[in-house]
Amino acid sequence: EADIYQTPRYLVIGTGKKITLECSQTMGHDKMYWYQQDPGMELHLIHYSYGVNSTEKGDLSSESTVSRIRTEHFPLTLESARPSHTSQYLCASSEYSARASTDTQYFGPGTRLTVL
Amino acid sequence: AQTVTQSQPEMSVQEAETVTLSCTYDTSESNYYLFWYKQPPSRQMILVIRQEAYKQQNATENRFSVNFQKAAKSFSLKISDSQLGDTAMYFCAFMKRGQGAQKLVFGQGTRLTINP
């Protein structure tokens, strides 16, 4: 099992502010992901990373940006928060397991963002 | 593109009963994985069970088992002897098998309530 940490768990902020959501994992996983989840809805991938200095956009368009300077750290930044960014943001990491013959993603606890 | 459909938005059963959650998916891929994730009210996404598409044997994890019908593209989750702690949102997810970061495609979720 992976240990995935996200901070803050809850954030209420005003429109126009710059915010960074932190995500870190302690298992040395190469791959990391950010998902956006509206209440009671499915998750949509917004960013992912194969490894250090690698970032890609996901299936759902997002105004956020990410960086991957260290293996364990994958922060998400919104330069100017808007009410439409209000959502839950879930971070995940994965690594291929030969024993399980699968690439399983493990999730952090999430950050619930509210933009007023 | 892959799609995952969960046709039961909500389900409710009595403690100790058996419950089956439905999931269908659409894909042209032949090598893939299927997952069931659980998201309790605390909101951390937890892996319940996974299935490799090339394996005909249905996966089981204690009280959780799946009925994988590849030709029908169906992947249902059965929870036996349900417990109060099983109350959660359950998401079915699809992942294509291959190199690189693998993206999960989620269904809409089923809200399961176990009543005492």
Side-chain angles (χ1 to χ4, degrees), chain A residues 11-20 63 77-86 113-116:
Chain A
L11 179 61
V12 180
I13 201 163
T15 296
K17 300 291 186 182
K18 177 180 179 179
I19 59 169
T20 296
E63 294 169 347
T77 299
L78 277 166
E79 290 293 332
S80 179
R82 294 206 302 269
S84 61
H85 297 139
T86 294
L113 173 65
T114 302
V115 183
L116 303 175

Side-chain angles (χ1 to χ4, degrees), chain A residues 31 33 48-50 94-96 103 105, chain B residues 95-103:
Chain A
K31 302 164 193 171
Y33 312 79
Y48 61 99
S49 168
Y50 292 96
S94 72
E95 188 175 69
Y96 181 80
D103 197 319
Q105 293 184 23
Chain B
M95 179 193 289
K96 188 171 62 173
R97 188 179 180 185
Q99 294 295 322
Q102 298 307 314
K103 299 179 284 184

Side-chain angles (χ1 to χ4, degrees), chain A residues 16 18 22 25 30 32-33 40-41 48 55 76-77 80 91 93 101 112:
Chain A
K18 177 180 179 179
E22 301 289 347
Q25 49 97 2
D30 289 332
M32 296 190 74
Y33 312 79
M41 304 291 286
Y48 61 99
T55 61
L76 180 146
T77 299
S80 179
C91 180
S93 72
S101 66
R112 177 159 295 284

Side-chain angles (χ1 to χ4, degrees), chain B:
Chain B
Q2 291 77 32
T3 59
V4 178
T5 302
Q6 294 178 247
S7 58
Q8 304 153 311
E10 293 188 26
M11 297 188 71
S12 179
V13 299
Q14 296 298 120
E15 192 175 7
E17 289 183 347
T18 294
V19 59
T20 299
L21 309 183
S22 301
C23 173
T24 58
Y25 59 95
D26 188 27
T27 184
S28 58
E29 301 289 334
S30 56
N31 292 322
Y32 52 88
Y33 304 108
L34 295 163
F35 303 84
W36 278 99
Y37 279 90
K38 166 185 176 181
Q39 190 177 37
S42 65
R43 307 194 75 81
Q44 180 140 17
M45 193 80 72
I46 303 167
L47 175 67
V48 175
I49 199 166
R50 61 186 160 218
Q51 173 82 40
E52 293 92 328
Y54 64 88
K55 289 186 177 179
Q56 293 188 343
Q57 185 175 4
N58 289 323
T60 62
E61 287 287 342
N62 301 314
R63 298 182 296 107
F64 299 88
S65 62
V66 299
N67 184 5
F68 174 47
Q69 301 291 326
K70 190 172 185 179
K73 296 180 181 175
S74 170
F75 183 61
S76 61
L77 174 70
K78 185 172 83 171
I79 306 173
S80 303
D81 186 26
S82 58
Q83 301 173 358
L84 298 179
D86 296 333
T87 292
M89 282 286 289
Y90 285 81
F91 291 96
C92 179
F94 172 100
M95 179 193 289
K96 188 171 62 173
R97 188 179 180 185
Q99 294 295 322
Q102 298 307 314
K103 299 179 284 184
L104 280 169
V105 177
F106 285 89
Q108 303 92 328
T110 296
R111 183 177 304 279
L112 175 65
T113 302
I114 309 298
N115 298 307

